[in-house]
Structure formats: structure tokens, C-alpha cells
Amino acid sequence: MVKPYTQEEFDSKIDPSVSKQWDETTPKEEQFKDLYKIVDGLKGGLLTTIRPGIGPTSRAMAVAKRIGPDFLFLANNHAEKFKDLKNDKTVQVTFQNSSDMSWVSVTGEAVTTSNDDPRIKQVYSKGVNAWFGDLGDGVHTGMPEDPRMTLIEVKANYITYWKSTSTFPGFIKEVAQASMTGQVADTGINRRLTDKDIQNARDSGL
């Protein structure tokens, strides 16, 4: 429901759209479970790399597998993003659910592997070859053994996400009501997971 904007918030120079939805009291285990529920319900997101002389550059990528708070992507090592990663391993992966506006932002470091990584065969699925093409030489087939087939593993070190607490129609109604009354929309829960939280999740198998 909408909430009033107070003089105290203004004097403190707080962004009310964030502060009124901020959640630091829910147990971390539950926060990770909510995070996984959002990302596992989506087919993919945007992988952003840092390109020399340009800056952040994004492209849509299907998640091959999520391992706790970390993500695996299958990719063609001829792609320009591998040049980006050679220069700067900092990446961001973002997700958004258009049905309820929930979103996730994962900042981390990318690790690339060679084609002999056994996980490639584990995460490969039918249809991946459609993005590689078959050269007809029996080697560059778009199959797991194709030397172009490479894993990008994103090791998260900071995650922030917003979980919707309303339906999309409810979201629109709440925003409209806040706009008409001068109050602040409160349509979800905003959370952050630090490097320490993420490492604890890995250690506990969460």
C-alpha cells in the first residue's frame, strides 16, 4: 500500500522509493530462496561485460545452470565478449520478470574455461547448436565437443533484487494511487546480499 513521504526522509536525503521497501530483517536463508525463485523462473537475462573504450556492453544470454548464487553460461569463444573478459573479468547479470516487475542484479567476476570442461556436456541441451552453426568439417558442429563451445562461470560477489508483493495490475494501481496522492508506492521488497552472505550460502550449499 502507498505510504506518506515524510519531512524526516527529505531532511535525511533518503530515496523513499528504496527506503520504504528495504528489507534487512528477513533471514538470509529465506532471502536466497526468494532470489532463486525469481531467477529460476526465467529463461535468461542480460550479461554485461566491460568493453575497452566503450564501457558496459550487454547481451541476452540463456542460463545453462545456476549453482547456488553463481551462474553458468554456454558461449561461443569467437564472440567479442571473450575479448572483453580477457581485459576485465568484472560482469553483471540482470534479470527481470515482466509479469510482476521483479528484478535481480548480480555483480561478480567471470571465469572462462576450456572446451574440455566436463560441465559443458552436463549443461548442454538440444537446440544450443542452433546458435553455433555446423561447418561440416566434423569438428565445428555446434555440439559439446566443438572447440568453440565454452563455459562462462559468473561468481557472484554482490546481489541486489526487488521482489514484487503484488500482481502487475496491483502494481499499476499502486503507482497510480501514489502519483495522484503525493505518497510513495510500496509494491515490493528490496534486498541486498553481500560478498559475505554469498560465501556463506556457497559454504552451506544454499
Side-chain angles (χ1 to χ4, degrees):
M1 57 185 295
V2 295
K3 295 180 179 178
Y5 181 40
T6 68
Q7 183 66 46
E8 181 181 1
E9 288 173 319
F10 175 79
D11 293 340
S12 299
K13 297 183 178 180
I14 294 174
D15 180 349
S17 67
V18 175
S19 63
K20 291 185 181 300
Q21 300 183 95
W22 202 252
D23 173 25
E24 292 188 309
T25 59
T26 299
K28 294 299 180 182
E29 181 176 353
E30 184 177 336
Q31 292 192 36
F32 275 100
K33 287 180 179 179
D34 285 342
L35 164 69
Y36 298 157
K37 186 175 181 180
I38 295 173
V39 298
D40 290 349
L42 303 172
K43 298 295 184 182
L46 290 178
L47 172 65
T48 302
T49 54
I50 308 300
R51 184 155 298 169
I54 296 177
T57 305
S58 304
R59 75 285 293 160
M61 295 284 289
V63 175
K65 186 176 183 179
R66 176 185 62 76
I67 305 174
D70 304 315
F71 298 84
L72 293 179
F73 298 91
L74 282 172
N76 187 331
N77 59 25
H78 286 185
E80 198 167 2
K81 56 181 165 286
F82 284 88
K83 297 178 183 178
D84 299 343
L85 295 174
K86 188 174 181 180
N87 181 72
D88 190 338
K89 297 186 181 302
T90 303
V91 294
Q92 182 182 49
V93 184
T94 54
F95 304 87
Q96 184 166 32
N97 185 334
S98 59
S99 66
D100 67 2
M101 305 306 288
S102 294
W103 57 262
V104 175
S105 173
V106 179
T107 302
E109 183 173 296
V111 178
T112 59
T113 72
S114 62
N115 179 252
D116 60 5
D117 188 322
R119 295 178 298 175
I120 291 177
K121 290 184 178 180
Q122 295 171 11
V123 303
Y124 184 91
S125 60
K126 187 177 181 180
V128 170
N129 61 332
W131 306 105
F132 284 75
D134 185 346
L135 192 59
D137 60 359
V139 177
H140 301 92
T141 60
M143 302 302 285
E145 299 80 8
D146 187 324
R148 297 171 296 166
M149 191 73 64
T150 309
L151 273 182
I152 297 175
E153 181 175 11
V154 175
K155 304 288 286 185
N157 55 40
Y158 181 79
I159 300 172
T160 183
Y161 71 94
W162 183 82
K163 173 190 173 184
S164 174
T165 55
S166 65
T167 61
F168 184 70
F171 176 91
I172 297 300
K173 181 180 179 180
E174 178 95 0
V175 171
Q177 183 181 356
S179 177
M180 291 186 294
T181 62
Q183 298 187 82
V184 180
D186 180 9
T187 56
I189 300 168
N190 205 177
R191 295 168 174 161
R192 64 182 167 194
L193 299 164
T194 66
D195 190 35
K196 182 179 179 180
D197 297 328
I198 293 166
Q199 189 56 54
N200 286 340
R202 291 192 190 103
D203 293 342
S204 63
L206 186 62

